[in-house]
Amino acid sequence: MDTIILDLEWNQAADSRDDRNRMLAFEIIEIGAVKMNSRMEMTDSFHELIRPQVYGEMHRITESLIHIRMEELEGCRKFEEVAGDFLRWCGEDYRFGTWGPLDLTELQRNMKFFGMMPLSDGPIRYYDIQKLFSIAFEDGKSRRSLEYAVDFLNISKEIPFHRALADACYTARVFSQIKDPTVLQRISFDTFHLPADRKAEVHVVFDRYAKYISRPFADKEALLADREVISTRCYLCHRNLRRKIRWFTPNGKHYYSVSYCAKHGYMKGKIRIRKAEDDRVYAVKTTKFIEEADVADIRNRQERAREIRRERRRREAGR
């Protein structure tokens, strides 16, 4: 399988109040990509500028960052033509790799806007190389700039950053330095297109945790009433576990629980509620095994959430 290291540059409205923001917030004006084989060798590249069809004026920050003037794009081909050629260039058997989670989503949003066939009918597996760099070389939580990673790995800076092909090349070079196979197993999922039904929902087990991505629901109440969403099943022995700390939320968006497996110990559950493209909601649930000290921390967090709710009710009662 090839890896397509993708980088995009896009333009946007000069005024955030522009009605076109609701149609297409970011219009792609440049596609750059590098093709890598299974040995992480760069074998080919793709690059093309794109003629805008939505925004006829270059945003001042975009122009200063990528140094492209609108006049340079006037004779270029439209997005549908360039993107079509790009996807044919990708081939049949490939996986995308990007620096961060935005590019693949914006590619699909532009494809939908311009009436192209979707890349997939559900979540797309891809390499978030920004995340993989953090896992391989730092704490796994920080998210660094591409230039920081290039400097960290002592990769020579031969061409300027912030152009699509240049950034794709630098991203590929960073990717080639990640040698640990367990890190490379930490794939990400783009959720521009969500699972269509229960059978298509995502269940994946990594080296230290498991992830579940639900189908969309009409609202949060329907989501939290779904048995699969709130289940706490051991991802190693597949037993349904009794919860020691029931699901609770400190903020209405993230929900936590703790369950116990007699064979594998305490398991933390976390549900993130996210908004889908059509304003429905879906869940991303992660489960991982934790130590007893971590259980105490979660219990304290639950008690703080309860106290905040009690204080809010007291204030509302006193009005």
Side-chain angles (χ1 to χ4, degrees), residues 102-315:
L102 297 180
D103 290 76
L104 189 50
T105 296
E106 293 308 324
L107 174 64
Q108 293 178 92
R109 185 172 284 122
N110 276 249
M111 289 175 64
K112 180 180 180 181
F113 180 83
F114 289 110
M116 297 181 68
M117 291 291 292
L119 288 177
S120 171
D121 57 2
I124 297 176
R125 296 176 178 232
Y126 74 103
Y127 293 116
D128 180 345
I129 299 168
Q130 183 186 50
K131 180 183 77 172
L132 297 183
F133 168 80
S134 181
I135 295 170
F137 301 108
E138 296 196 308
D139 60 4
K141 298 179 181 179
S142 59
R143 296 294 181 263
R144 303 291 192 175
S145 70
L146 177 56
E147 188 167 7
Y148 174 94
V150 167
D151 289 337
F152 183 94
L153 296 171
N154 296 313
I155 296 170
S156 61
K157 295 191 285 189
E158 301 160 355
I159 47 179
F161 288 83
H162 306 304
R163 288 297 299 269
L165 183 56
D167 285 2
C169 289
Y170 283 127
T171 302
R173 293 176 185 176
V174 172
F175 186 54
S176 69
Q177 297 300 307
I178 301 173
K179 308 296 186 182
D180 187 343
T182 61
V183 174
L184 296 174
Q185 290 173 7
R186 297 282 194 93
I187 57 170
S188 295
F189 291 84
D190 179 274
T191 54
F192 184 80
H193 293 290
L194 287 164
D197 51 37
R198 185 183 296 278
K199 288 184 178 179
E201 290 178 330
V202 174
H203 296 266
V204 60
V205 177
F206 296 107
D207 56 326
R208 297 180 183 177
Y209 69 99
K211 175 177 282 190
Y212 159 77
I213 301 174
S214 78
R215 65 196 188 281
F217 293 83
D219 51 40
K220 185 171 70 172
E221 289 70 26
L223 181 148
L224 292 173
D226 185 80
R227 292 181 63 183
E228 186 63 32
V229 171
I230 63 172
S231 67
T232 49
R233 187 180 303 112
C234 177
Y235 56 86
L236 296 178
C237 62
H238 309 295
R239 293 188 179 95
N240 289 317
L241 306 181
R242 177 175 294 180
R243 286 186 283 274
K244 296 293 186 180
I245 299 177
R246 295 186 177 186
W247 289 106
F248 72 94
T249 177
N251 55 22
K253 293 182 179 180
H254 298 160
Y255 289 74
Y256 300 89
S257 72
V258 175
S259 304
Y260 184 74
C261 175
K263 187 174 182 180
H264 298 105
Y266 290 102
M267 188 183 77
K268 171 187 171 183
K270 180 177 181 180
I271 296 173
R272 298 176 179 88
I273 298 179
R274 294 179 175 173
K275 185 172 286 189
E277 291 291 318
D278 58 4
D279 288 333
R280 292 185 291 175
V281 296
Y282 68 101
V284 178
K285 179 173 66 178
T286 54
T287 50
K288 63 182 294 187
F289 288 100
I290 58 175
E291 302 297 328
E292 284 196 46
D294 300 314
V295 177
D297 288 340
I298 295 172
R299 199 177 296 280
N300 289 337
R301 191 183 302 179
Q302 181 190 40
E303 184 53 42
R304 287 197 298 272
R306 286 173 175 168
E307 182 56 37
I308 289 170
R309 287 198 301 271
R310 286 193 290 264
E311 181 59 31
R312 187 183 300 122
R313 286 195 293 267
R314 285 194 291 268
R315 289 199 302 269

Side-chain angles (χ1 to χ4, degrees), residues 6-39:
L6 171 67
D7 190 87
L8 306 171
E9 302 297 343
W10 49 68
N11 190 27
Q12 63 194 88
D15 188 343
S16 61
R17 296 168 294 181
D18 194 317
D19 289 341
R20 291 173 295 181
N21 274 314
R22 292 195 297 271
M23 300 187 299
L24 186 69
F26 303 109
E27 182 180 18
I28 295 170
I29 57 174
E30 186 178 27
I31 297 177
V34 172
K35 187 176 291 185
M36 303 182 77
N37 62 23
S38 59
R39 297 186 296 277

Side-chain angles (χ1 to χ4, degrees), residues 49-68:
L49 293 169
I50 296 169
R51 173 158 49 98
Q53 300 174 70
V54 178
Y55 300 113
E57 180 181 347
M58 191 71 73
H59 191 283
R60 58 181 179 81
I61 295 178
T62 303
E63 185 172 11
S64 65
L65 188 66
I66 65 179
H67 303 293
I68 295 177

